Every structure is written in C-alpha cells, then in structure tokens.
Amino acid sequence: KEKGIKFIHLFGVDNVLVKPADPLFVGFASEGKYQISCKFVPKGYPEEKVGVHVLRNGKPDIIEYSEMSKEMCEEKDSNGNLRYDKSHL
C-alpha cells in the first residue's frame, strides 16, 4: 500500500484462458470491494484433472486434483450436480 499498489492479479501461467490484468474482471472486483475474486468454469467430467474452488473453514481455497479422492470427484449435491465442480482458471 505504501507504494500505491491497489491490485495484484495472480494466475496460472499455463492457462491459455486467462486474460492478464483483465480490466472488466479487475473493475468488477474493485466495484464490489472484494478482497479476493476468482474465475472458474464447471468441470467437464468428474475425473477432469483440474484444481477446484472450495470454501475451507469459511475461506476461499483450491483443492488440486491430485488431492481429491475418487469419491470426492464423483460426489453430488442435492440437485444431482458435482459438489466439486468449480474448475480453477
């Protein structure tokens, strides 16, 4: 803050879907006064090798696919959708 930095944009360098310093996304986060904002898309299928967004102890986190059991990958919510379906971008 002392140096006047307002925002930091972190992303995986191997992700071709990321638009670095996306002005719409940064503006959205700024307008909403969010401390953290994340982009995600639904997983294509239960075993897709992607990290997923979760709330862990009420805080945003990411579980890497290598940390997920087969049961976690296939777990469904009350609507029949994958519980862990928010694929990290």
Side-chain angles (χ1 to χ4, degrees), residues 12-81:
V13 297
D14 60 346
N15 191 336
V16 299
L17 299 177
V18 173
K19 181 177 182 180
D22 179 348
L24 289 175
F25 187 65
V26 172
F28 168 80
S30 177
E31 276 295 307
K33 306 214 184 311
Y34 301 114
Q35 289 186 346
I36 184 172
S37 298
C38 302
K39 289 183 179 182
F40 55 85
V41 296
K43 285 176 68 170
Y45 51 94
E47 301 81 18
E48 187 175 10
K49 294 186 176 190
V50 293
V52 294
H53 289 262
V54 297
L55 287 177
R56 196 181 300 208
N57 300 318
K59 296 182 180 179
D61 201 354
I62 294 175
I63 299 177
E64 292 298 335
Y65 70 88
S66 57
E67 300 174 297
M68 296 179 69
S69 67
K70 180 175 174 29
E71 292 76 24
M72 282 180 75
C73 290
E74 296 175 351
E75 189 176 339
K76 305 259 174 116
D77 64 17
S78 60
N79 295 318
N81 300 314

